[in-house]
Amino acid sequence: MKKLFNSFGFAFKGIAYATRTQLNFRIHLVATVVAVAMGYLLRISVSEWQWIALCITLVLVTEIFNTMIETLVDLVSPGYNEKAGHIKDMSAGAVVIAAVFALITGLIIFLPKLLLLIK
């Protein structure tokens, strides 16, 4: 049981590290709070909550993987290396893809509800 609790401790330590050191992770956390607040205020359906939860998870996980990959690349290739640069660019690209998916999903869910409020 102690090993289980320790593993959760290490996981939360990793999340704390990403929050402390990565501006983009903090930006995604703010976007998470905004999305959850909007979902609550606009009373979105259970299936819409599932999509929002999927988007939040996908973006935060890809951001953490991006941080992991960039840190590992810097560790094994501290000097300039073209291939290392490509790896870091692709890792960042994965975050962009996830974030665009989340943005489009958010627009599909929230925009019609917001337009109804404006009318």
Side-chain angles (χ1 to χ4, degrees):
M1 197 67 163
K2 185 178 178 182
K3 284 186 178 186
L4 178 65
F5 284 122
N6 285 342
S7 67
F8 277 105
F10 295 136
F12 288 119
K13 186 177 173 182
I15 293 168
Y17 175 81
T19 303
R20 242 186 359 266
T21 64
Q22 302 301 308
L23 173 62
N24 287 342
F25 191 78
R26 291 191 301 273
I27 290 169
H28 293 308
L29 288 175
V30 170
T32 295
V33 171
V34 170
V36 169
M38 285 181 60
Y40 176 77
L41 293 172
L42 295 173
R43 303 178 199 273
I44 63 175
S45 70
V46 171
S47 63
E48 290 169 329
W49 274 116
Q50 289 174 316
W51 282 104
I52 296 299
L54 174 65
C55 289
I56 290 168
T57 302
L58 184 64
V59 170
L60 293 179
V61 167
T62 54
E63 189 63 55
I64 284 180
F65 269 100
N66 179 49
T67 300
M68 291 167 29
I69 291 167
E70 287 184 351
T71 302
L72 184 59
V73 167
D74 290 345
L75 181 66
V76 299
S77 183
Y80 175 77
N81 182 305
E82 187 176 352
K83 288 183 180 181
H86 292 316
I87 291 167
K88 291 169 90 171
D89 292 345
M90 289 184 289
S91 178
V95 177
V96 170
I97 291 168
V100 168
F101 173 73
L103 176 64
I104 291 169
T105 303
L107 289 173
I108 290 168
I109 291 171
F110 294 127
L111 194 58
K113 293 173 185 355
L114 291 171
L115 292 175
L116 282 175
L117 285 177
I118 293 171
K119 288 183 182 181

